Amino acid sequence: QIQVVESGGGSVQAGESLTLSCTTSGLAFENYAMAWFRQTPGKQREPVSCVSWRGRPAYYTDVVKGRFTTSRDNRKNSLSLQMIGLKPEDTGRYYCAARGGDYCGGDWRSQQVYDHWGQGTQVTVSS
């Protein structure tokens, strides 16, 4: 059974930092590109980042560039998202997603290309 589990969410003040983690089981982690998405109530889920199987290249949506860093450890089947300088607009439920194939691809922002999803972890940033 394939499982994708996020952790590390919480409530912080604007300007603070938080690191999210995602662990997987039941899949060959090194054969998947891994992504983060986020969603706030009433809005569509939006892409945050994607990292290819070797840990590079990594891609980011414009609003998080320079503040968020995604990395992976294939030995531990884990993905992380380091977030600094958090803003209230970063509030949302963050989801980890796995895409079969080694690379993110030009369509990495599309939810439809991902095969497996976690249940998400909530991040709340107060001003």
Side-chain angles (χ1 to χ4, degrees):
Q1 181 180 359
I2 294 172
Q3 288 189 315
V4 179
V5 180
E6 304 91 338
S7 62
S11 296
V12 297
Q13 296 291 315
E16 293 184 340
S17 302
L18 205 59
T19 298
L20 306 182
S21 297
C22 170
T23 57
T24 70
S25 60
L27 56 79
F29 184 76
E30 65 274 13
N31 292 340
Y32 285 78
M34 298 297 297
W36 290 98
F37 283 73
R38 67 186 183 188
Q39 187 172 23
T40 54
K43 297 180 68 175
Q44 286 192 333
R45 194 172 298 185
E46 61 178 4
V48 175
S49 67
C50 184
V51 61
S52 299
W53 74 281
R54 294 176 64 182
R56 60 182 187 275
Y59 305 91
Y60 301 90
T61 195
D62 287 346
V63 295
V64 307
K65 282 181 181 177
R67 299 188 298 119
F68 290 13
T69 303
T70 188
S71 60
R72 63 189 293 163
D73 186 342
N74 290 343
R75 297 167 301 174
K76 297 181 179 180
N77 293 350
S78 67
L79 175 75
S80 67
L81 182 68
Q82 182 182 23
M83 306 182 291
I84 66 172
L86 282 162
K87 304 176 181 180
E89 51 264 43
D90 293 318
T91 293
R93 191 162 187 85
Y94 284 68
Y95 296 87
C96 176
R99 176 182 189 175
D102 297 337
Y103 297 96
C104 293
D107 55 358
W108 72 268
R109 294 174 180 83
S110 174
Q111 298 180 56
Q112 285 70 32
V113 305
Y114 294 90
D115 304 298
H116 308 289
W117 291 82
Q119 295 299 306
T121 185
Q122 179 67 33
V123 172
T124 303
V125 184
S126 303
S127 58

